[in-house]
Amino acid sequence: MGSCRVLIFTLSLLLLLFPVIHGWGADGHLTVCRIAQSRLSKAAADAVNKLLPEYAENDLGSLCIWADEVRFRYHWSSALHFINTPDLCTFQYQRDCKDEDGLKGRCVAGAINNYTTQLLTYSTAQAEYNLTEALLFLSHFMGDIHQPLHVGFATDRGGNDIDVHWYTRKQNLHHVWDRDIIETAEERFYDSNVEQLVEAIQKNITTEWADRVKGWETCNSNKIPCPDTYASESIKAACNWAYKDVSQDSTLEDDYFLSRLPILNLRLAQAGVRLAAALNSIFG
Ligand SMILES: [Zn+2]
């Protein structure tokens, strides 16, 4: 093997051993984008179809995880997937929306505002922005901001530094909320099939949650989307549900899984409904 190939091999091995997780796993993001795409107006559906690369075959869900895949190529983007609060159960844009170097606006709420602004130039056809990337970033970050531990405490990096056992497996709390709760639910209730999970949540949106959907879609400021609201809800859910009764080396089993799953399903539903509302508003 040439030294270059050895390097690539070593790097790939390292990536396999130490995956860096920046959001819902693939299934969480796919769920959010599937729900959203099914709720688009004609104008928004046409715009999304035009902006998606041809190989995606007009399936936004298939590229919803794209922003995680480019985080090494676009190193600047990795701070845009989350928010850290100073260990408080509230979110304040001015106080909390910044990156490690203190640069203001570099957090998931700022990113949602930024990519919304870029997409609003769609009808003017300015060549200033790559609107395909803007669409993929916005779709991904609308998911991330609804994952409670993506708006978590700075000292434990949104639960990344809290080691737990998910049933018998060693895991960290952030990962439990990105992936494990969803995967356990799929195994137990949905034949290990993500499409069935999507269908179940979509059914809840039209039945159990039907009278709440209008409220999810609306923003106080009338400016859609309103990431500050979504972030405030997430840190509240993080305190009330994700962090609650969990400490270093806790074992999380059925009690935790069954009481938290409804919260997680609700957040996936809200993310999907609100992504659709945002795209409908932008392209409408
Ligand atoms: Zn992410």
Side-chain angles (χ1 to χ4, degrees):
M1 261 201 280
S3 64
C4 184
R5 282 174 64 190
V6 173
L7 182 69
I8 289 169
F9 177 75
T10 313
L11 281 175
S12 324
L13 201 65
L14 281 173
L15 285 178
L16 282 175
L17 289 173
F18 303 105
V20 182
I21 304 303
H22 280 276
W24 299 108
D27 287 2
H29 281 292
L30 180 114
T31 302
V32 170
C33 281
R34 281 279 157 79
I35 294 168
Q37 204 172 10
S38 75
R39 301 175 63 84
L40 294 181
S41 65
K42 172 85 172 65
D46 287 348
V48 166
N49 189 10
K50 270 208 193 99
L51 288 174
L52 284 175
E54 215 160 282
Y55 66 83
E57 295 177 345
N58 195 27
D59 177 15
L60 183 60
S62 70
L63 286 176
C64 224
I65 197 82
W66 172 85
D68 278 336
E69 292 165 354
V70 296
R71 63 188 185 257
F72 293 111
R73 194 159 20 115
Y74 294 164
H75 191 65
W76 50 266
S77 70
S78 65
L80 304 181
H81 293 253
F82 61 92
I83 290 163
N84 283 330
T85 79
D87 297 5
L88 297 170
C89 298
T90 57
F91 166 70
Q92 285 175 22
Y93 189 93
Q94 288 302 329
R95 183 191 67 196
D96 305 332
C97 191
K98 54 179 193 285
D99 64 14
E100 286 177 326
D101 303 322
L103 258 163
K104 297 268 185 203
R106 287 186 32 80
C107 78
V108 66
I112 287 173
N113 289 331
N114 176 38
Y115 290 112
T116 300
T117 306
Q118 290 193 14
L119 286 170
L120 282 168
T121 67
Y122 177 74
S123 53
T124 63
Q126 284 174 340
E128 198 180 337
Y129 304 114
N130 180 332
L131 295 186
T132 296
E133 294 194 353
L135 171 69
L136 298 182
F137 274 127
L138 179 68
S139 303
H140 181 91
F141 293 146
M142 283 292 281
D144 277 353
I145 201 169
H146 282 81
Q147 204 277 54
L149 285 177
H150 272 248
V151 190
F153 296 160
T155 41
D156 57 52
R157 300 187 306 124
N160 274 295
D161 296 337
I162 301 179
D163 292 324
V164 296
H165 280 90
W166 180 249
Y167 295 86
T168 53
R169 211 162 357 115
K170 247 177 109 63
Q171 206 47 277
N172 74 61
L173 187 62
H174 187 94
H175 190 279
V176 165
W177 280 79
D178 267 351
R179 287 159 191 256
D180 297 300
I181 299 177
I182 295 178
E183 281 171 12
T184 302
E186 284 173 5
E187 280 161 24
R188 242 192 244 188
F189 307 124
Y190 304 114
D191 253 344
S192 293
N193 181 342
V194 65
E195 306 295 339
Q196 285 187 31
L197 169 74
V198 174
E199 266 171 47
I201 294 181
Q202 274 177 320
K203 194 163 166 239
N204 274 355
I205 290 173
T206 56
T207 54
E208 200 189 324
W209 297 320
D211 50 347
R212 297 167 68 182
V213 168
K214 261 271 155 305
W216 298 348
E217 286 174 328
T218 347
C219 292
N220 283 335
S221 57
N222 277 330
K223 194 181 135 273
I224 301 172
C226 39
D228 292 13
T229 303
Y230 318 150
S232 298
E233 293 168 355
S234 269
I235 184 64
K236 223 169 274 162
C239 289
N240 293 342
W241 297 98
Y243 285 127
K244 193 167 186 288
D245 300 328
V246 179
S247 46
Q248 213 47 257
D249 295 320
S250 286
T251 296
L252 308 179
E253 297 174 297
D254 274 4
D255 279 353
Y256 190 91
F257 168 62
L258 294 170
S259 56
R260 272 58 172 182
L261 179 59
I263 308 301
L264 187 142
N265 281 337
L266 176 78
R267 295 306 277 163
L268 290 172
Q270 288 177 317
V273 164
R274 285 163 166 171
L275 173 57
L279 296 172
N280 288 340
S281 158
I282 290 167
F283 298 118

